[in-house]
Amino acid sequence: MNFEFATATRIIFGPGRSAEIGRIAAGFGPRALLVTGNEGLRAHAIRASLEAAGVSIVSLRTKGEPAIATAENGATMVRGQDVSCVIAVGGGSVIDTGKAIAALSANPGPALDYLEVIGAGKALTQAPLPFVALPTTAGSGAEVTRNAVLSSNEHGAKASLRSPLMLPRVAIVDSELTHSLPPAETAATGMDALSQLIEPFVSSRSNDFVDALCREGIRRATAALPRAFENGADAAAREDMALASLLGGMALANSGLGAVHGFAAPIGGMFPAPHGAVCAQLLPVVWRANIAALRAREPAHPALARYAEAAQLLTGRADAGVDDGARFLADLRERLRIPPLRAYGIAEADVEGVVAKAAVASSMQANPVKLTPDELRAILTFAL
């Protein structure tokens, strides 16, 4: 065994624990930038906790995918208003926006100086402002990852701002914040969480420590996701999904992802497609493509055994094989009513452009087998 593992400095998990945000933020200083999405009762409760603790609030509301301009504007706000910490309350997009703001506010130059693939990819030299994440979805795991995914309209792509320095100072995972999530978002974000447990488990960078997280997360997500989708008030299912998402975030941050997310990044930058729904549609297709490629070119590859174990975890059957795993994921996708990719405007004419960007995506590098351009085209075409 030879591995490293890094995660948020402090993780606070449990129903109702978001009420502690005021005391935690006050420990960083008197003024916080609060980044939110669609403000509802959840964000109002966070505001009340901060105000009760004597923390003044600078507000930034964001909508849709985290954009470079939003992160840069937020960094300018932070510098100009003597902010002592950044707090993000929302889904993965909101958390990534807050994480990027905290990093860019402490480092000189534009975001493109630091972004991978579409930018210069320079390393951050200064520690970001203290960052606290409170996820309101159970999917992205962004509360414990070391990167922020930003979209660029100019490049028609999404790329990561990445550094070990970007791991959040505190992650507060309160499953009660997810109870009001609608069924469609529960399904999409939940499938994202599941993909972020499966891909690190079979990735070329997998390790024994992360494997334990993935095994536990896959078991919990498989049982809890359909229940949370069918009944959003199922507190036990919501709590299991919050934990599965947290475990997936820790797993991907330390073992990488694969072709599912390699495709999801450019698709998200080019089309108005929810990230989790894209991952859900691609997951069984990539599974089958990886199995076929491994069998054809590397039949002794250890990833084949990992896929077999993942199939057993998904199905709960000790005799399940890799093909059973793919069928299970396809059936789950249908049960959760995830639409095909063409529902988001992706057509056969777009395949070449998406494949070209996916081939160089950072997530693609940890796929257990290098897929050929023809195999990548087949995956995307099938998922349409």
Side-chain angles (χ1 to χ4, degrees):
M1 274 182 278
N2 187 356
F3 62 86
E4 294 184 18
F5 187 87
T7 191
T9 303
R10 183 181 180 194
I11 298 171
I12 300 171
F13 185 96
R17 298 296 298 272
S18 59
E20 300 174 33
I21 182 59
R23 174 179 55 79
I24 291 166
F28 295 122
R31 187 187 296 269
L33 176 70
L34 181 62
V35 185
T36 60
N38 294 320
E39 288 211 20
L41 292 176
R42 299 170 298 188
H44 293 323
I46 301 301
R47 286 181 177 278
S49 178
L50 291 169
E51 290 167 354
V55 178
S56 62
I57 301 168
V58 179
S59 297
L60 175 64
R61 294 185 67 175
T62 182
K63 184 178 181 181
E65 295 289 339
I68 291 174
T70 304
E72 291 179 334
N73 291 340
T76 300
M77 290 176 62
V78 165
R79 295 190 197 102
Q81 301 198 45
D82 197 25
V83 166
S84 48
C85 71
V86 178
I87 301 167
V89 185
S93 294
V94 174
I95 292 175
D96 275 1
T97 299
K99 203 184 303 181
I101 289 170
L104 293 174
S105 66
N107 287 270
L112 281 172
D113 282 355
Y114 307 102
L115 282 168
E116 298 173 345
V117 183
I118 63 173
K122 293 180 181 177
L124 298 180
T125 58
Q126 302 298 317
L129 210 61
F131 175 67
V132 183
L134 294 96
T136 60
T137 65
S140 74
E143 67 272 16
V144 287
T145 60
R146 65 186 79 189
N147 70 303
V149 180
L150 301 179
S151 62
S152 169
N153 291 332
E154 177 187 353
H155 297 87
K158 293 161 67 175
S160 280
L161 177 66
R162 189 187 310 273
S163 170
L165 299 173
M166 290 175 62
L167 286 164
R169 195 74 64 88
V170 184
I172 304 177
V173 184
D174 179 351
S175 58
E176 290 181 354
L177 298 179
T178 70
H179 283 204
S180 61
L181 200 65
E185 291 182 48
T186 297
T189 56
M191 287 297 285
D192 187 23
L194 187 55
S195 69
Q196 291 174 174
L197 291 159
I198 292 172
E199 288 205 293
F201 189 65
V202 301
S203 87
S204 60
R205 302 173 192 161
S206 63
N207 67 64
D208 294 308
F209 193 94
V210 167
D211 289 349
L213 305 180
C214 294
R215 290 185 181 102
E216 182 66 17
I218 292 169
R219 278 193 291 262
R220 287 181 183 265
T222 300
L225 180 53
R227 289 164 44 210
F229 174 71
E230 291 160 8
N231 176 16
D234 186 329
R238 290 294 195 185
E239 190 170 4
D240 275 352
M241 284 307 303
L243 181 57
S245 178
L246 175 67
L247 295 174
M250 290 191 284
L252 76 89
N254 290 279
S255 286
L257 291 162
V260 171
H261 282 80
F263 273 112
I267 288 173
M270 298 168 69
F271 301 94
H275 174 78
V278 173
C279 291
Q281 194 58 231
L282 288 165
L283 187 55
V285 185
V286 168
W287 177 301
R288 291 189 180 101
N290 280 344
I291 293 299
L294 288 164
R295 283 171 169 167
R297 297 195 288 277
E298 300 183 62
H301 198 291
L304 285 168
R306 288 180 169 274
Y307 269 110
E309 184 180 352
Q312 292 158 15
L313 292 168
L314 287 167
T315 63
R317 289 173 34 212
D319 64 341
V322 292
D323 296 328
D324 296 310
R327 279 193 292 271
F328 178 92
L329 291 170
D331 289 345
L332 178 60
R333 183 185 62 192
E334 296 305 312
R335 180 176 177 181
L336 299 177
R337 300 196 286 276
I338 303 289
L341 296 185
R342 64 177 176 273
Y344 306 109
I346 308 170
E348 287 190 19
D350 302 307
V351 168
E352 287 297 329
V354 173
V355 165
K357 292 181 178 181
V360 298
S362 56
S363 292
M364 193 68 76
Q365 310 315 308
N367 200 60
V369 60
K370 185 172 177 59
L371 298 169
T372 68
D374 283 345
E375 288 167 337
L376 294 175
R377 291 186 197 99
I379 288 170
L380 187 55
T381 300
F382 194 87
L384 294 178

